[in-house]
Amino acid sequence: MRLIMALATLSGRPIHLSSVAAPDSDPDSIQLRVEATDPIRPGRGVRAHRGIVYSVPGRKLRVDILTPRTPGPHPLVVYVPGGGFVTARRAMAAGQRRYVAEAGFVVASIDYRTIRDGAIYRDGLADIATALSFLRLHADEYGIDPTRTALWGESAGGYLVAMAAGDPGLGVDAVLDVFGASDLSTVAEGFDAATVEAFTGPGAALPAYLLGPGHDMADHPDEVTGADPACHVTSETPPFLLLHGDDDRIVAPSQTARLHQALRRVGADSTRYVLQGAGHGALSNSARMWTSTQVMEIIVRFLRSRLASGS
């Protein structure tokens, strides 16, 4: 948590935590009380391939790949880290990624371009597409079954994988969105006024990643709508698992609720869990909830059911 906060501060865009929680009253979500005393204990059942360059759009973008030691090929899960659109550290969620890999999946964690690269969200989406192409091209080398693919993102990464799901050309079979945004203009809805201003006002990271520097989201409603994954869902959208904490002080829980309801309206497969008392992953005092066996087994069961051979 301290490292992420420090990197954001050094970039000139510190991460703000709201002094109040935002309400979440979605009627179609599953309320989950988490036993944080049951942490995951990843073992050594994977092979690691680190720092592989998959693209060079100005700078080298790398991927870390965890491959199960059991006979493959295995379904592919591409992990897209968070970082407020300011940083994207592929080393994040190391324990969770290893746990999923040991459950029988090749887990690839990627760098992608952020506002520190002068990028906008379309560049991040292009990086996800390039990473998928690279991994499928090298499927035999890393024990990947290229016909079974899921995207897994947290926070800013959750937003990007939700957007990527709207591109049928990517061939994605399932999406795991952990406290990601949907409508970037209302990501802080329900928070205190200072946090709303910090997230959406002049110089904030969100409008810069959406529109480029120097733009106000209020002046570009069509672009904001076009960058909302909830506006791109159809009955053909791949299945979603959404997870959010009801004490998230960085991304309002209503963001994943908005996407969940949009998916349900078009008849897409969507399941949403709300973790009682949980905050924004590692950027909270409830980080252990997100690394509990209880929560991670929900993720593994979702991936197994949606990426099963012949499904």
Side-chain angles (χ1 to χ4, degrees):
M1 176 177 178
R2 287 193 296 270
L3 176 59
I4 298 170
M5 289 290 199
L7 288 171
T9 300
L10 287 171
S11 73
R13 292 181 169 88
I15 296 173
H16 289 258
L17 278 73
S18 174
S19 62
V20 297
D24 176 48
S25 56
D26 182 71
D28 300 312
S29 296
I30 302 168
Q31 299 292 320
L32 186 67
R33 185 178 297 277
V34 179
E35 298 295 333
T37 56
D38 183 25
I40 57 173
R41 293 180 173 83
R44 299 182 177 180
V46 300
R47 294 187 299 274
H49 313 269
R50 296 188 176 91
I52 302 158
V53 176
Y54 77 85
S55 182
V56 189
R59 69 175 173 95
K60 293 179 180 179
L61 298 179
R62 301 178 186 272
V63 56
D64 291 347
I65 303 172
L66 300 175
T67 301
R69 294 187 182 276
T70 53
H74 306 279
L76 171 64
V77 179
V78 176
Y79 174 79
V80 183
F85 306 118
V86 177
T87 65
R89 298 179 60 252
R90 67 182 187 278
M92 291 178 66
Q96 296 102 303
R97 287 187 289 112
R98 184 172 287 269
Y99 187 88
V100 171
E102 289 182 338
F105 303 89
V106 174
V107 180
S109 180
I110 66 168
D111 296 331
Y112 59 89
R113 286 170 289 173
T114 67
I115 58 174
R116 295 175 71 183
D117 303 291
I120 64 170
Y121 77 98
R122 295 184 189 277
D123 300 309
L125 293 174
D127 295 337
I128 292 174
T130 301
L132 282 169
S133 295
F134 174 88
L135 291 162
R136 287 166 174 158
L137 181 64
H138 296 273
D140 291 344
E141 185 176 351
Y142 299 112
I144 295 169
D145 178 351
T147 67
R148 295 183 286 162
T149 303
L151 297 177
W152 168 17
E154 293 188 344
S155 194
Y159 165 77
L160 286 172
V161 300
M163 279 296 292
D167 182 355
L170 294 183
V172 172
D173 303 295
V175 180
L176 170 58
D177 178 352
V178 184
F179 43 76
S182 184
D183 179 357
L184 295 183
S185 68
T186 62
V187 69
E189 190 172 56
F191 291 157
D192 62 71
T195 302
V196 173
E197 176 66 14
F199 275 61
T200 60
L206 293 184
Y209 198 62
L210 174 59
L211 301 165
H215 294 281
D216 188 330
M217 286 190 283
D219 296 331
H220 301 273
D222 291 342
E223 288 87 343
V224 172
T225 298
D228 182 349
C231 296
H232 296 282
V233 298
T234 71
S235 60
E236 302 301 315
T237 298
F240 266 71
L241 173 64
L242 300 117
L243 301 171
H244 218 129
D246 66 4
D247 193 35
D248 193 319
R249 306 296 179 97
I250 293 179
V251 174
S254 59
Q255 292 289 302
T256 50
R258 169 186 173 81
L259 179 54
H260 178 54
Q261 287 299 325
L263 288 160
R264 290 176 63 86
R265 280 195 297 271
V266 298
D269 181 346
S270 180
T271 303
R272 180 174 182 261
Y273 285 88
V274 177
L275 279 61
Q276 297 176 3
H280 197 77
L283 298 180
S284 70
N285 294 322
S286 55
R288 290 185 178 180
M289 291 190 187
W290 295 104
T291 58
S292 67
T293 300
Q294 183 182 1
V295 170
M296 292 306 301
E297 277 301 302
I298 290 172
I299 290 172
V300 167
R301 287 196 297 270
F302 169 76
L303 293 171
R304 282 177 173 159
S305 65
R306 302 312 191 270
L307 300 182
S309 180
S311 63

